[in-house]
Structures are given as C-alpha cells and as structure tokens.
Amino acid sequence: MGVHYPIEDESETNEYAPSHVVKASARWPVPHPIPYQGSKRNLAPVILSYFPQKLVRLVEPFAGSAAISLATAYKNLASTFILNDAHEPLAALWREIVERPDQLSDEYEDLWHKQQGNEQDFYNRIRSKFNTTHRPAYFLYLLARCVKAAIRYNSSGEFNNSPDNRRKGALPSTMRRRINGASTLLQGRTVIASSDYRQILEGCDKNDLIYLDPPYQGVCGNRDNRYAPKVDHTSFCESLTTLNEKGCLFVVSYDGRMGTKIYGEPMPKSLELFHIEIHAGRSSQATLLGRESETYESLYLSPALAKVLGKNRKVKKAETQPSLFD
C-alpha cells in the first residue's frame, strides 16, 4: 500500500485555515448508477487516502449517491457497509440497486424507450406518478433526466425539478452496467436504512469508520428545498462530540469555499478536528458567469483517526496527493 501524510508537531492555526490543502486526483472506474449533484465520486481517491488500510465496517449516515462506499468496496477496504439516507425514496432506490438489479434495469429500460419522441411530456407524467407512488424506477429515471441531476422539492414535499431537454438520460445498456456493477460491489454485505443520522451514529463504535457528508450549510436553510431532510449545524456538532467521546474514527465532508468566500460556520475548535482542504478545481457556475473562482471542499478527520494516521494534527505539505493505492 502507499503512504499517508507524515505528521509534524501541532501548531496554532486560524479557525478558518486548514492544516493542509490537497488536489483532487483522477477518479477511479467505479460504477455509479445514481447521477447525483454533490456526489463525491471525483474526490473519492483523496478522501480514501485518509482511511485506515483495512476496515471492518464503513458507515455512511448521509449516503446520497454512496460514492465513498462504492469506492471503498471497489478498493476492498471494508468488509461490510451501512448506507443510510433520511430521504426514504433514495434509500428505497438503493435497496433496488443492491438487491434487485435486473428488475430495476428492466424497468428503467422500459421507461427510457417509452419516452422517445415525447420526452418532456413523458418526464412530467413520470414525475407526477413518482410524487404519488415513490416508485424507485421512476426516481432513477427522473434523476437521469432532470436538470443538474439535482433533487428538488417544493413546499408540499413534491419532487419538482424540471427535465434537461438536451439529454434523454443514460442509455439502458449503460445504466444496466452501472446498476449491476454497484450491486456486485455491495450485495450481501450492506445494510440499507432510512433513519435520522443520529440514530445511525448511536449504533457506531470505535471499530467502525464513519463517513459523514451532510447537506452543506449553504444549501439546507429554511428557504432552500434542495434537500428534504434538514440538518441543524449545532446538533450535528453535538453528535460529533459524542463520537469523540466514544473514540470513534470518522471523516466529515462539510462546506468549504469558492475563492475567498467561505460557506457555513467553522467547526468548533473543541472538536479538535484535523482540517484539510481539497482543491476541487474551478467552479463551473463561476465559469458560466465569466469568473475564475477556484473551489475548495473541507475534509475533517476525527482526533482518533488522526492518531491512527500519525498522532498529531499538523500534516507536512506535499506537492502531489499520495494515495494508499499507489
């Protein structure tokens, strides 16, 4: 296996300043059936480089597209997995992917062919049916077709994102390959749940590695309907305090900055988290507006994990991102 970053003596840092900045590296050929805005698939090689070399169980309380679990399974770093998402339709879709991949692939293929020649009207009809039934195949089709692959809900809790009329969604053969690939990686060793993240954390102990990727503070306020479940920042930090008290190993992806603009409140110093910034490249939104703003995503390691990887909080700067899998 490759190397982790060597650790130097701890030094005082500004509360906004990371201990280290790394660059996102090339992504791996991991099957991803759920197109999902905010997915960590491109950052997975960097994030996994801060994982221990072998895990008993990986827990994702905010699974989303499960990019980190899929990457971990692809690299055979964990024996078992817990995928949890408080959004029940998303958890139900994961159950179909993992447990009934052929049936889901068949249903998606049927929907894909039926849309031909009347894509926008067909999308709107499937969206209405999904809001009534929450059928997983309908949800997968909507995510494959909607603008920016983003889950959006109105004030009544109905999925309301519009179709991207420039595309028809992944070809059935491509989607089938992705679904079967993900099922092969996770089937028989994955528990899928739809609970409040705090319930999942109560069942974790220091033998687990917990990867937390909650909705970012900048997109989960009261007026934003991009996410059905809301996550209170103070309550979330209190949960991390409890994990620290149990000596749990955890990694948190939480907010970041675009250029000099910082999103969200800083994590409390009392948590003693090891802060890393991942340079994720130029913001596509800024590029569309004619600006050249670079984006950075924050990654935090728990004190227990930092100890496993190298004792203290200060990481020696490296020009390139070393990986456990080099």
Side-chain angles (χ1 to χ4, degrees):
M1 305 290 275
V3 295
H4 286 289
Y5 288 106
I7 304 295
E8 295 178 339
D9 293 336
E10 183 176 355
S11 61
E12 290 294 321
T13 59
N14 181 282
E15 63 180 353
Y16 291 103
S19 298
H20 190 52
V21 179
V22 298
K23 287 186 177 181
S25 52
R27 68 189 187 193
W28 298 320
V30 178
H32 287 273
I34 299 179
Y36 198 77
Q37 187 183 56
S39 171
K40 292 299 184 292
R41 62 180 301 182
N42 292 338
L43 304 184
V46 175
I47 293 171
L48 264 66
S49 72
Y50 292 98
F51 282 17
Q53 295 187 12
K54 204 67 177 177
L55 310 172
V56 175
R57 186 171 69 171
L58 177 66
V59 181
E60 277 205 77
F62 306 93
S65 68
I68 297 304
S69 285
L70 288 170
T72 301
Y74 176 78
K75 288 297 181 178
N76 198 29
L77 287 182
S79 300
T80 58
F81 301 84
I82 292 181
L83 296 185
N84 177 76
D85 201 285
H87 185 36
E88 171 56 36
L90 190 57
L93 177 54
W94 269 115
R95 291 188 193 98
E96 294 299 302
I97 291 170
V98 174
E99 299 170 9
R100 289 172 288 276
D102 291 333
Q103 178 180 321
L104 180 63
S105 297
D106 289 344
E107 291 184 40
Y108 175 84
E109 182 172 0
D110 182 58
L111 293 169
W112 193 90
H113 285 296
K114 285 181 176 177
Q115 73 176 339
Q116 302 303 316
N118 194 25
E119 288 84 358
Q120 183 167 348
D121 181 63
F122 186 81
Y123 176 96
N124 291 336
R125 285 190 282 121
I126 295 301
R127 185 176 62 188
S128 295
K129 288 182 178 181
F130 168 74
N131 283 327
T132 301
T133 67
H134 286 175
R135 185 172 169 179
Y138 292 162
F139 196 30
L140 180 61
Y141 170 78
L142 294 174
L143 288 175
R145 285 284 324 277
C146 68
V147 174
K148 296 183 179 179
I151 298 177
R152 298 285 190 273
Y153 288 91
N154 62 23
S155 59
S156 299
E158 296 174 323
F159 186 93
N160 70 340
N161 200 359
S162 302
D164 184 342
N165 293 313
R166 299 168 300 175
R167 57 192 179 92
K168 299 180 181 181
L171 291 170
S173 58
T174 300
M175 184 62 79
R176 186 178 298 272
R177 184 171 64 253
R178 293 171 181 171
I179 290 171
N180 286 334
S183 180
T184 298
L185 289 173
L186 298 175
Q187 193 173 68
R189 55 178 180 158
T190 303
V191 173
I192 298 170
S194 182
S195 300
D196 185 281
Y197 74 95
R198 288 165 290 193
Q199 291 180 263
I200 299 300
L201 295 181
E202 286 176 4
C204 295
D205 60 36
K206 59 185 179 182
N207 294 313
D208 298 314
L209 179 68
I210 308 156
Y211 174 69
L212 301 110
D213 185 19
Y216 285 4
Q217 297 174 66
V219 296
C220 60
N222 293 331
R223 297 179 60 188
D224 196 302
N225 294 309
R226 275 184 266 184
Y227 299 89
K230 306 299 181 184
V231 177
D232 177 73
H233 176 69
T234 300
S235 295
F236 180 65
C237 292
E238 289 173 353
S239 295
L240 298 186
T241 297
T242 300
L243 291 180
N244 274 343
E245 290 170 352
K246 294 195 292 185
C248 291
L249 309 180
F250 63 85
V251 179
V252 182
S253 291
Y254 200 43
D255 288 338
R257 63 184 173 91
M258 184 170 69
T260 58
K261 185 175 182 180
I262 297 170
Y263 293 90
E265 300 176 50
M267 300 298 277
K269 289 185 176 181
S270 60
L271 290 172
E272 298 184 337
L273 302 176
F274 175 64
H275 183 197
I276 301 151
E277 274 193 338
I278 301 175
H279 179 204
R282 183 174 297 175
S283 164
S284 58
Q285 184 65 30
T287 299
L288 289 173
L289 297 174
R291 300 195 298 264
E292 296 187 0
S293 296
E294 301 293 320
T295 60
Y296 297 82
E297 296 208 21
S298 287
L299 192 71
Y300 299 90
L301 312 184
S302 70
L305 179 57
K307 183 176 181 180
V308 168
L309 298 182
K311 308 304 182 185
N312 296 320
R313 295 177 61 208
K314 183 66 178 176
V315 171
K316 184 183 294 183
K317 186 173 182 179
E319 293 300 321
T320 58
Q321 166 66 18
S323 169
L324 285 176
F325 313 109
D326 290 342

